[in-house]
């Protein structure tokens, strides 16, 4: 089976996905992804040049609702699961030096 | 009186005639959970307020107050359905101790209709898996053989009904996650038409495929649940406005002359002989009832899994981007924001979730979008066309739900492609968007349950229910309980 993804490519995808892989995860993941991609390749057997893509099972057009103000969650409710919050904000590590 | 054998109608009669109280009914199931879940590991969280809610219903009933139709009926929910003040973890470490400040639309509808939520049940992490082995918390066991998987991803929701720890439950089906565990556990599992049940408050995996649906023993109980949750919801932009129906009506209609399509591609190779035998018996049953059996061809079936794994992982990689350590419970400490994102996600997500996020990110990345994602969407059109042509000729389709019976723990977990293949017969329906149910139809030589599925066109739930009901009226597979969980 041809290898579709090199080690560097696996690391690049991880970076795009905001995942940091442990050294021992990389090879296994690379093997799995290559096997899955080889399996997926069977789609190339089909000529789809004249076929429209389906982005949705049912044909939905835009959905609108009345622009009405409604009560949302309270501040306490919004922050109750936050790992860290302060002064009605989610707190994260410093971004600007 | 054996509560385990009663359907919702029969249970409601007992409640209304005060032969049993809502308290006693809910206590019965909570006691069974207490007694049996040590072996099964199906529940992740219990609603500690359940008995108080039941008492309140009893008091109102004693006073003769008006009660909602299903007042007091217990139900379990898959742990990706958001429930106010009841932990919802999606079986992931990244949502450990997540205590939602709001209810999903289905939880709201259940509460309004008087149901009592017993608790939340185990699943594959973020609904990604076919065995409930990818849960961060525990592995749910198949009650027919504790060494085997219950199927997935709604494994807990299937097991709690199969072992009589809850009379009914709700799960979610993205590529077969309701029907596959229903078949492996010997219960009935229904995937409604995409858009019939609101996804507001269902933790998103693959938004164009996910759909919430019921588990029950008796198909009629699933019909009751569809009546409750099958409602248009303006909070979900993919919810469809259709005329509200009573799915419990017209379920005993004669099926003489009705056409059942047998998709020949679903019967080719790799199917266990016991499965094939039981499904053939079901076909013979329908013949004996006067239904016409028509062979149909759905030539793009063999591409469904490849299409699914591109579309589902692409959507998942985008949906799961929200878990960055900022808003929800779990965070890995770090000195800067990017490190915090990366460490949180790497430590918070399990192996299968990471695998799918990686695949989804790759198929959507610059240079590969046309080759993978666009190609998959085009083949999705071909699969959809197969179904549309088939339903021009027949009322419903009949096929095995799963090629084999329940496999042992660990057997497939390290081989993703072989694990993905266990959904080979269920996935196409999600890509099409129609409705389908898996119904128990026998056992293999090892005593493991087998199911067949009936698939229907968009919003033809009542047709599928009618066919399923006729089968259950004449068989008792759905009434059988695993030996060790009968008493």
């Amino acid at each position: 089976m041809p290898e579709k993804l090199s080690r560097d490519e696996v690391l690049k995808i991880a970076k795009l996905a905001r995942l940091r892989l442990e050294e021992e995860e990389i090879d296994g993941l690379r093997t799995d992804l290559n096997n899955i991609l080889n399996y997926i390749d069977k789609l190339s057997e089909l000529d789809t040049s004249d076929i429209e893509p389906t982005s949705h099972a049912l044909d939905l057009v835009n959905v609108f609702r009345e622009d009405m103000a409604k009560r949302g969650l309270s501040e306490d409710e919004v922050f109750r699961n936050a790992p860290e919050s302060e002064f009605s904000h989610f707190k994260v590590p410093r971004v600007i030096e | 009186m054996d509560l385990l054998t009663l359907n919702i109608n029969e249970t409601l009669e007992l409640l209304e005639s005060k032969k049993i109280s809502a308290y006693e009914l809910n206590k019965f199931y909570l006691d069974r959970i207490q007694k049996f879940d040590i072996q099964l590991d199906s529940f992740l969280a219990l609603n500690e307020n359940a008995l108080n809610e039941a008492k309140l219903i009893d008091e109102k009933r004693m006073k003769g107050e008006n009660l909602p139709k299903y007042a007091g009926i217990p139900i379990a929910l898959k742990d990706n359905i958001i429930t106010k003040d009841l932990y919802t973890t999606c079986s992931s470490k990244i949502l450990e101790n997540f205590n939602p400040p709001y209810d999903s639309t289905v939880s709201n509808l259940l509460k309004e209709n008087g149901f009592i939520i017993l608790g939340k049940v185990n699943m594959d992490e973020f609904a990604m898996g076919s065995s409930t082995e990818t849960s961060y918390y525990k592995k749910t066991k198949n009650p027919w053989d504790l060494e085997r998987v219950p199927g997935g991803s709604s494994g807990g929701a299937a097991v709690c009904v199969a072992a009589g720890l809850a009379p009914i439950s709700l799960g979610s089906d993205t590529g077969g996650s309701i029907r596959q565990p229903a078949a492996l556990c010997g219960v009935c599992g229904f995937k409604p038409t995409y858009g019939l049940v609101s996804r507001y408050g269902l933790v998103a995996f693959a938004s164009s495929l996910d759909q919430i649906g019921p588990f029950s023993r008796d198909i009629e109980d699933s019909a009751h649940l569809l009546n409750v949750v099958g409602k248009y919801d303006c909070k979900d932009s993919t919810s469809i406005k259709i005329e509200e129906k009573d799915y419990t009506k017209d379920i005993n209609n004669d099926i003489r002359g009705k056409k059942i399509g047998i998709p020949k591609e679903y019967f080719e190779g790799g199917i266990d002989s016991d499965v094939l035998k039981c499904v053939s018996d079901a076909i013979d049953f329908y013949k004996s009832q006067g239904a016409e059996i028509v062979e149909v061809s759905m030539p793009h079936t063999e591409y469904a899994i490849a299409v699914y794994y591109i579309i589902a992982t692409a959507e998942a990689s985008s949906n799961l981007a929200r878990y960055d350590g900022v808003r929800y419970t779990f965070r890995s400490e770090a000195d800067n924001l990017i490190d915090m994102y990366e460490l949180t996600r790497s430590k918070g997500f399990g192996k299968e979730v990471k695998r799918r996020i990686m695949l989804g990110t790759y198929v959507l990345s610059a240079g590969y979008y046309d080759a993978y994602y666009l190609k998959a969407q085009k083949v999705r059109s071909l699969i959809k066309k197969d179904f549309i042509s088939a339903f021009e000729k027949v009322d419903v389709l009949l096929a095995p739900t799963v090629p084999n019976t329940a496999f042992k723990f660990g057997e497939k977990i390290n081989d993703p492609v072989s694990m993905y293949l266990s959904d080979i017969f269920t996935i196409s329906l999600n890509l099409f968007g129609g409705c389908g149910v898996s119904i128990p139809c026998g056992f293999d030589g090892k005593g493991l349950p087998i199911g067949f599925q009936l698939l229907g066109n968009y919003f033809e739930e009542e047709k599928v229910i009618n066919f399923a009901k006729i089968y259950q009226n004449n068989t008792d597979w759905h009434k059988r309980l695993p030996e060790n969980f009968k008493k």
Side-chain angles (χ1 to χ4, degrees):
Chain A
M1 284 278 190
E3 287 269 293
K4 289 185 171 297
L5 294 179
S6 66
R7 188 187 155 89
D8 282 351
E9 280 167 308
V10 171
L11 292 172
K12 190 184 165 205
I13 302 164
K15 197 164 187 252
L16 291 172
R18 293 268 190 255
L19 290 170
R20 188 171 300 175
L21 303 178
E22 303 278 342
E23 191 50 43
E24 60 268 25
E25 280 179 295
I26 302 171
D27 281 340
L29 199 50
R30 184 175 155 209
T31 310
D32 289 346
L33 290 174
N34 277 316
N35 286 343
I36 298 166
L37 289 170
N38 279 321
Y39 178 78
I40 282 172
D41 250 1
K42 73 193 277 120
L43 295 186
S44 57
E45 293 167 10
L46 292 169
D47 175 12
T48 51
S49 45
D50 296 332
I51 310 290
E52 285 291 311
T54 296
S55 56
H56 230 269
L58 295 150
D59 302 318
L60 278 172
V61 198
N62 287 340
V63 178
F64 298 104
R65 68 170 179 232
E66 291 300 308
D67 182 18
M68 279 177 19
K70 276 187 188 160
R71 251 184 85 90
L73 295 173
S74 70
E75 226 171 71
D76 280 354
E77 287 170 324
V78 169
F79 291 110
R80 82 180 191 192
N81 287 293
E84 224 181 330
S85 65
E86 204 173 295
F87 308 123
S88 305
H89 287 78
F90 291 99
K91 195 175 171 187
V92 295
R94 179 185 287 274
V95 180
I96 303 163
E97 292 300 329
Chain B
M1 176 175 58
D2 186 3
L3 289 173
L4 291 179
T5 59
L6 302 181
N7 64 22
I8 290 184
N9 268 339
E10 291 160 340
T11 310
L12 284 174
E13 267 174 40
L14 289 181
L15 285 168
E16 279 154 17
S17 61
K18 303 194 182 80
K19 288 195 178 111
I20 186 175
S21 67
Y23 180 88
E24 287 167 321
L25 176 66
N26 282 274
K27 180 93 173 41
F28 171 80
Y29 283 104
L30 288 167
D31 286 347
R32 283 186 64 85
I33 295 169
Q34 184 86 38
K35 185 172 166 195
F36 291 122
D37 210 42
I38 305 164
Q39 298 172 61
L40 296 167
D41 278 330
S42 63
F43 276 83
L44 287 175
L46 286 178
N47 173 14
E48 284 171 10
N49 211 25
L51 290 178
N52 289 332
E53 290 171 30
K55 265 189 207 161
L56 213 63
I57 287 168
D58 289 332
E59 282 165 23
K60 286 184 179 172
R61 185 168 274 129
M62 291 308 279
K63 286 185 202 151
E65 284 180 36
N66 269 344
L67 284 170
K69 183 169 178 188
Y70 298 101
I73 301 285
I75 186 167
L77 300 185
K78 185 175 179 178
D79 206 31
N80 58 354
I81 298 172
I82 296 278
T83 41
K84 190 170 192 242
D85 301 329
L86 189 56
Y87 290 119
T88 301
T89 69
C90 250
S91 288
S92 181
K93 183 179 177 182
I94 216 161
L95 280 171
E96 195 167 17
N97 299 323
F98 178 69
N99 189 6
Y102 68 102
D103 263 317
S104 56
T105 295
V106 296
S107 308
N108 255 331
L109 288 168
L110 291 172
K111 288 176 182 177
E112 277 170 19
N113 280 277
F115 286 94
I116 293 179
I117 298 171
L118 290 173
K120 306 298 286 295
V121 281
N122 200 20
M123 54 185 278
D124 277 302
E125 183 180 4
F126 281 102
M128 297 176 185
S130 307
S131 63
T132 313
E133 285 168 291
T134 71
S135 166
Y136 171 67
Y137 300 98
K138 50 190 181 182
K139 290 178 177 55
T140 299
K141 289 35 167 219
N142 190 315
W144 297 93
D145 178 347
L146 300 175
E147 287 179 6
R148 289 173 192 271
V149 304
S153 64
S154 311
V159 167
C160 68
V161 174
L165 308 190
I168 44 172
S169 65
L170 284 183
S172 69
D173 193 311
T174 305
S177 285
I178 289 176
R179 287 161 289 149
Q180 188 256 21
L184 300 193
C185 292
V187 294
C188 162
F190 202 107
K191 182 210 109 63
T193 303
Y194 184 81
L196 181 71
V197 180
S198 170
R199 289 183 300 108
Y200 177 79
L202 171 69
V203 181
F205 160 20
S207 310
S208 82
L209 306 163
D210 299 340
Q211 190 64 193
I212 293 173
F215 286 92
S216 60
R217 297 186 160 279
D218 186 334
I219 180 71
E220 201 171 333
D221 289 357
S222 281
H224 281 286
L225 275 169
L226 285 182
N227 281 354
V228 172
V229 297
K231 296 264 191 315
Y232 170 72
D233 179 20
C234 65
K235 288 177 177 167
D236 171 4
S237 63
T238 58
S239 172
I240 310 275
K241 249 183 206 157
I242 59 156
E243 204 187 320
E244 279 182 23
K245 299 174 190 170
D246 179 355
Y247 297 102
T248 61
K249 262 178 68 183
D250 297 330
I251 56 179
N252 287 303
N253 283 349
D254 199 344
I255 54 164
R256 223 168 303 170
K258 293 264 168 66
K259 291 190 176 124
I260 298 181
I262 307 297
K264 69 174 167 77
E265 291 80 4
Y266 284 63
F267 289 81
E268 283 165 2
I271 305 177
D272 184 277
S273 59
D274 288 333
V275 174
L276 206 55
K277 166 82 174 63
C278 289
V279 177
S280 305
D281 288 350
I283 297 172
D284 287 342
F285 164 79
Y286 283 112
K287 248 188 240 170
S288 76
Q289 297 292 303
E292 194 184 322
I293 307 296
V294 185
E295 189 183 275
V296 294
S297 174
M298 304 179 74
H300 300 95
T301 303
E302 63 171 304
Y303 302 101
I305 289 191
V307 171
Y308 175 85
Y309 279 94
I310 294 171
I311 292 176
T313 57
E315 292 182 12
S317 72
S318 154
N319 276 325
L320 270 58
R322 74 188 60 158
Y323 302 101
D324 52 10
V326 177
R327 284 153 297 167
Y328 316 109
T329 59
F330 180 75
R331 169 187 290 185
S332 291
E333 289 308 323
D335 295 335
N336 67 69
L337 199 61
I338 301 291
D339 281 356
M340 187 195 86
Y341 292 157
E342 289 186 350
L343 291 172
T344 298
R345 291 166 63 77
S346 302
K347 296 203 166 26
F349 289 136
K351 197 174 172 187
E352 180 61 22
V353 174
K354 283 189 221 174
R355 191 149 53 200
R356 295 202 196 193
I357 291 175
M358 291 281 288
L359 184 63
T361 304
Y362 177 67
V363 299
L364 288 178
S365 62
Y368 296 102
Y369 179 89
D370 282 8
Y372 290 109
Y373 189 67
L374 189 66
K375 180 84 182 181
Q377 284 191 309
K378 287 182 168 189
V379 183
R380 184 175 183 178
S381 301
L382 295 172
I383 290 167
K384 201 173 146 182
K385 221 172 113 218
D386 283 353
F387 275 96
I388 291 169
S389 322
F391 287 125
E392 280 167 4
K393 297 182 205 103
V394 299
D395 293 284
V396 292
L397 296 165
L398 190 157
T401 311
V402 193
N404 309 94
T405 50
F407 48 92
K408 286 195 169 163
F409 284 102
E411 222 171 84
K412 297 188 181 184
I413 195 72
N414 291 319
D415 179 0
V417 174
S418 113
M419 181 71 94
Y420 297 172
L421 287 169
S422 51
D423 297 336
I424 193 156
F425 297 147
T426 51
I427 272 177
S428 301
L429 182 78
N430 298 72
L431 294 168
F432 162 64
C435 56
V437 67
S438 177
I439 296 286
C441 64
F443 293 87
D444 73 357
K446 299 188 194 82
L448 300 167
I450 293 168
F452 73 93
Q453 49 177 352
L454 291 160
L455 309 179
N457 208 342
Y458 301 129
F459 302 108
E460 293 201 338
E461 278 59 19
E462 65 269 56
K463 245 189 214 178
V464 168
I465 293 169
N466 183 191
F467 275 94
K469 179 71 178 163
I470 298 296
Y471 183 79
Q472 291 199 331
N473 283 345
N474 291 280
T475 54
D476 69 350
W477 305 113
H478 61 292
K479 292 188 177 156
R480 312 247 182 127
L481 272 151
E483 202 55 48
N484 296 333
F485 302 96
K486 276 181 178 165
K487 286 272 179 273

